[in-house]
Amino acid sequence: MAIFSVQARPTDAASWTGLARRVEAAGFDALLAADHPGHGASPFVALAAAAAVTSTLGLGSYVSNAGVREPILLATDVATLDVVSGGRARLGLGAGHTPAEWRAVGRERPDVAGRVRRCVAVAEAVQALLAGEEVTVDTPDLAAHAARLTELRPVQARVPLTMGTANSTLLRWAGAHADVVGLTGFGRTLPDGHMHEARWRADQIEAQLAHVAAGAAGRSAPPALEALVQQVTVTDDAEATAVPTAERLGLTVAELLATPFVLIGTEDEIVTSVAAHRRRWGITRFVVRTDAVDPLRTLLPRLRAAD
């Protein structure tokens, strides 16, 4: 069964709460808010507003930058969202690739290894805090002293954790510890500090999944695999529609249409693609952007049953 969620950013109250209602009514699993301090809304404030107008919709950050978020503040935000939503909070974490976000909090972005260490340390600390534990850690990557959620506790026994990454070390960690591995297909950060190279070819996806599997060895149940879909287009000519994106990314049209990071084609072709991604990669979850809500609304029952 394929599960679809929506990642979005609020711009005003009416459209945001209206989107939350539409997403829930259509049968999407969750509404997820991006987390880019200084470049968008606070995800947890926005999600609390969405919680007030929905009753079943999952709500989470996708994803919070572990480089600029401190564990006690992040755990407090997540626990608060879980309380006000009646147990619907999700937590998404990533290592933080944008240099400007690090500089905005007075830090220089570390190298990849440093960002990975920080991300793992924050993830472990937040999970411990949400579980009611006291956290003390003092390393070059993270410092926290006697941190604890002393009063506010989440409703859920375990708030689901999604680790969004394409980094091999984080994929292995996520395989061992996360509830969901968010496959981004992101490669090296480009000079603008925001965009990425794409790791969308079949061999690159297989390599990423091998790291997840290695981390998950010994778990009774592996994490769910989720793809961040960058383009959803319902069209009678998938090949022609795919050309601009394929050329921009240096892929062939066939390579692009075979990835789980785009869904392009007729309704039947999209349903077939989703089923193929589950069979080939084990991917059962997909996150799409706001512009995909209406095209997928009538397709969701078929996508959930795609086999």
Side-chain angles (χ1 to χ4, degrees), residues 73-298:
L73 300 178
L74 190 54
T76 299
D77 283 343
V78 173
T80 303
L81 176 62
D82 205 48
V83 168
V84 301
S85 68
R88 292 183 280 142
R90 317 277 179 87
L91 171 61
L93 276 180
H97 64 271
T98 306
E101 292 179 8
W102 289 78
R103 288 194 295 270
V105 297
R107 302 171 183 159
E108 283 301 314
R109 188 186 71 164
D111 60 11
V112 173
R115 297 200 300 277
V116 168
R117 290 194 303 270
R118 165 85 185 188
C119 187
V120 168
V122 169
E124 292 176 343
V126 172
Q127 286 186 307
L129 289 165
L130 292 172
E133 301 173 20
E134 182 175 286
V135 172
T136 294
V137 58
D138 192 354
T139 71
D141 304 301
L142 180 66
H145 303 284
R148 192 181 190 99
L149 298 181
T150 59
E151 297 180 16
L152 187 73
R153 299 283 297 114
V155 174
Q156 298 176 87
R158 175 184 172 90
V159 175
L161 170 66
T162 296
M163 182 63 75
T165 188
N167 174 270
S168 58
T169 300
L170 281 180
L171 287 168
R172 288 193 295 273
W173 186 91
H177 302 285
D179 300 281
V180 179
V181 179
L183 301 169
T184 64
F186 293 165
R188 182 179 62 87
T189 304
L190 298 178
D192 69 357
H194 296 276
M195 303 298 289
H196 303 265
E197 292 179 345
R199 295 178 181 169
W200 289 9
R201 291 188 172 90
D203 61 334
Q204 295 169 320
I205 296 170
E206 288 168 357
Q208 293 170 52
L209 296 180
H211 290 302
V212 176
R219 284 185 67 167
S220 58
L225 301 177
E226 182 172 77
L228 177 58
V229 180
Q230 301 292 341
Q231 180 180 353
V232 176
T233 305
V234 178
T235 174
D236 291 333
D237 194 342
E239 288 74 16
T241 302
V243 166
T245 303
E247 290 180 345
R248 177 171 57 83
L249 297 176
L251 302 173
T252 67
V253 167
E255 286 174 330
L256 181 72
L257 294 177
T259 76
F261 304 112
V262 301
L263 294 173
I264 301 173
T266 64
E267 291 188 351
D268 287 345
E269 287 170 340
I270 289 175
V271 171
T272 298
S273 292
V274 167
H277 298 325
R278 182 186 60 78
R279 290 193 299 269
R280 182 175 187 181
W281 314 114
I283 295 171
T284 58
R285 304 178 67 95
F286 299 83
V287 175
V288 300
R289 303 289 167 68
T290 308
D291 60 2
V293 172
D294 288 334
L296 293 181
R297 181 194 300 269
T298 58

Side-chain angles (χ1 to χ4, degrees), residues 59-82:
L59 302 159
S61 59
Y62 202 89
V63 291
S64 289
N65 179 346
V68 304
R69 298 289 190 187
E70 294 300 324
I72 187 62
L73 300 178
L74 190 54
T76 299
D77 283 343
V78 173
T80 303
L81 176 62
D82 205 48

